[in-house]
Amino acid sequence: MKGESAITAIHQKARNIILVAHRHIARSMNYTTVLSNWELGRMIIEEELAEKEKADYGSRLIVGISSSLTEEFGKGFSVPCLEFCRQFYNIFSIGYTCVPN
């Protein structure tokens, strides 16, 4: 019985360590995802502004980026996702408003 209670206590401590680590990983992933989406949006907007004289350049740009990123990295870079990144940057065009330093 004494051995079982020690195992239970160690299990509980180990469980707490793992749960804290999982929460830390989730926060880091969320922060990194927000930052990368903002950066993708910034890049798209800046490229569109540099080529603004071409009327349909923006839509072709997003389709092209979506295709190449999806081919290399898999799903998660669809046209709607990149349009969301673009919109996200437009709304939060000053980086510190959405991403703390």
Side-chain angles (χ1 to χ4, degrees), residues 89-100:
Y89 177 78
N90 268 334
I91 293 169
F92 298 102
S93 59
I94 301 173
Y96 64 83
T97 61
C98 66
V99 181

Side-chain angles (χ1 to χ4, degrees), residues 3-101:
E4 285 183 31
S5 65
I7 291 171
T8 301
I10 291 172
H11 169 85
Q12 192 60 37
K13 289 177 184 177
R15 182 179 180 276
N16 289 339
I17 290 168
I18 292 166
L19 289 174
V20 167
H22 284 182
R23 284 192 295 271
H24 179 72
I25 290 167
R27 279 192 304 271
S28 294
M29 286 181 61
N30 289 340
Y31 172 80
T32 303
T33 299
V34 167
L35 184 59
S36 64
N37 286 345
W38 187 87
E39 287 291 341
L40 286 169
R42 181 186 60 78
M43 177 192 64
I44 291 167
I45 293 291
E46 287 179 357
E47 182 63 23
E48 287 175 342
L49 291 175
E51 298 291 332
K52 65 183 175 187
E53 66 274 357
K54 299 176 184 173
D56 64 340
Y57 180 73
S59 61
R60 286 186 295 127
L61 174 69
I62 290 178
V63 169
I65 294 169
S66 172
S67 177
S68 63
L69 290 176
T70 299
E71 184 178 322
E72 183 172 354
F73 298 107
K75 67 181 187 175
F77 299 98
S78 66
V79 169
C81 284
L82 294 179
E83 287 173 343
F84 168 79
C85 293
R86 184 182 181 283
Q87 181 181 13
F88 182 59
Y89 177 78
N90 268 334
I91 293 169
F92 298 102
S93 59
I94 301 173
Y96 64 83
T97 61
C98 66
V99 181
N101 291 331

